[in-house]
């Protein structure tokens, strides 16, 4: 928790600094009756909105991590959740999502909001792993194996380096230049609360697949 507190402080300070500098710039422009104050105000407003959104994301990540134990168990079809999550990116021009879902309903008992967060996190990570120089290709699959649902998200990103394998699900670890590093830790917590499993396979430079195995609902 000490390390996570340091990370929170760091992540909050990052957006606060440009917010303060831009407000000081705007204040100076107003005090000096500088020409184009309206244009400057709009520019600063956009910067502030962007940084506030970042702060909101930080707060959301830590709230989710802290509330993993508070669950509302429901019976639902996880295939519908996968379709709903994939539809979030349906308008993305440089992204193609292929859904290869089990032909019948896959009923599970879980917190629907947390399962939605689980696959939103995994899909977002998959999209962000692909370099800007190539089209994003994502494959989402679901199948039934015995008494479990096997769900997977595959991307055409750069893969995960071997020296990061053991750190991927650790809270506070991130390969990005910003962020809390809680996304995959939250995923792991959600899955393990349901006595499920989460793991990945990767080919560095080519692709990564994240797998989630969840118990089927009992009849």
């Amino acid at each position: 928790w000490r390390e996570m507190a340091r990370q929170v402080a760091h992540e909050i300070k990052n957006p606060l600094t440009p917010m303060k500098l831009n407000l000081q710039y705007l204040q100076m422009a107003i005090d000096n009756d500088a020409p184009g104050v309206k244009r400057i105000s709009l520019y600063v407003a956009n910067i502030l909105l962007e940084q506030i959104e970042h702060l909101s994301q930080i707060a959301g990540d830590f709230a989710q991590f802290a509330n993993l134990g508070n669950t509302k168990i429901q019976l639902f079809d996880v295939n519908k959740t996968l379709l709903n999550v994939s539809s979030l990116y349906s308008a993305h021009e440089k992204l193609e999502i292929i859904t290869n879902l089990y032909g019948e309903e896959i009923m599970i008992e879980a917190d629907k909001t947390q399962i939605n967060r689980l696959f939103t996190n995994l899909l977002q990570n998959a999209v962000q792993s692909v370099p800007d120089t190539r089209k994003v290709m994502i494959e989402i699959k679901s199948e039934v194996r015995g008494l479990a649902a096997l769900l997977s998200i595959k991307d055409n990103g750069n893969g995960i380096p071997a020296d990061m394998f053991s750190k991927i699900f650790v809270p506070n670890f991130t390969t990005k230049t910003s962020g809390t590093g809680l996304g995959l830790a939250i995923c792991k917590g959600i899955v393990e609360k349901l006595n499920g499993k989460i793991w990945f396979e990767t080919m560095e430079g080519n692709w990564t697949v994240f797998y989630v195995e969840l118990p089927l609902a009992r009849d």
Side-chain angles (χ1 to χ4, degrees):
W1 282 105
R2 189 178 295 115
E3 282 301 315
M4 290 180 68
R6 288 196 188 103
Q7 182 73 3
V8 174
H10 175 73
E11 288 299 324
I12 290 174
K13 189 175 179 181
N14 277 348
L16 285 179
T17 300
M19 290 169 78
K20 180 180 178 181
L21 291 173
N22 277 279
L23 282 172
Q24 287 174 337
Y25 171 57
L26 176 60
Q27 187 176 38
M28 189 182 303
I30 293 170
D31 290 343
N32 295 330
D33 291 324
V37 168
K38 184 177 179 181
R39 176 183 55 80
I40 295 170
S41 298
L42 289 172
Y43 171 79
V44 172
N46 285 332
I47 294 291
L48 292 179
L49 287 172
E50 182 180 318
Q51 297 305 323
I52 287 168
E53 181 63 31
H54 183 54
L55 285 169
S56 177
Q57 180 67 46
I58 293 168
D61 281 354
F62 279 91
Q64 279 285 328
F65 190 71
N67 289 319
L68 283 178
N70 300 327
T71 56
K72 180 183 176 183
I73 300 301
Q74 301 162 272
L75 177 67
F76 61 95
D77 176 16
V78 74
N79 272 344
K80 286 185 179 178
T81 301
L82 291 172
L83 286 172
N84 289 340
V85 169
S86 65
S87 70
L88 296 174
Y89 290 87
S90 59
H92 200 300
E93 291 182 356
K94 294 184 178 181
L95 188 154
E96 181 179 348
I97 296 181
I98 300 167
T99 52
N100 185 6
L101 304 182
Y102 188 66
E104 300 176 20
E105 291 182 337
I106 302 181
M107 304 302 292
I108 64 170
E109 291 178 304
D111 185 306
K112 200 170 185 179
T113 300
Q114 289 193 356
I115 295 299
N116 186 80
R117 182 63 184 265
L118 161 68
F119 290 112
T120 299
N121 280 348
L122 291 177
L123 183 55
Q124 183 175 320
N125 278 358
V127 171
Q128 291 176 347
S129 73
V130 181
D132 294 337
T133 53
R134 74 177 79 139
K135 182 177 180 179
V136 181
M137 302 288 291
I138 306 291
E139 183 179 9
I140 300 175
K141 293 178 67 176
S142 70
E143 55 186 299
V144 172
R145 290 192 178 179
L147 299 176
L150 182 62
L151 317 158
S152 64
I153 295 180
K154 180 178 182 179
D155 63 65
N156 64 325
N158 284 339
I160 300 171
D163 60 350
M164 294 183 183
F165 285 6
S166 63
K167 303 175 185 176
I168 286 298
F169 295 108
V170 174
N172 204 35
F173 174 76
T174 179
T175 58
K176 303 166 191 170
T177 55
S178 66
T180 58
L182 287 178
L184 288 174
I186 289 171
C187 291
K188 187 172 187 285
I190 291 170
V191 171
E192 291 185 347
K193 280 282 183 183
L194 297 169
N195 296 317
K197 299 176 184 176
I198 183 169
W199 70 97
F200 64 90
E201 294 177 359
T202 189
M203 178 65 72
E204 191 171 347
N206 290 287
W207 50 263
T208 300
V209 189
F210 275 87
Y211 295 95
V212 173
E213 184 180 275
L214 297 172
L216 295 174
R218 289 169 289 190
D219 294 331

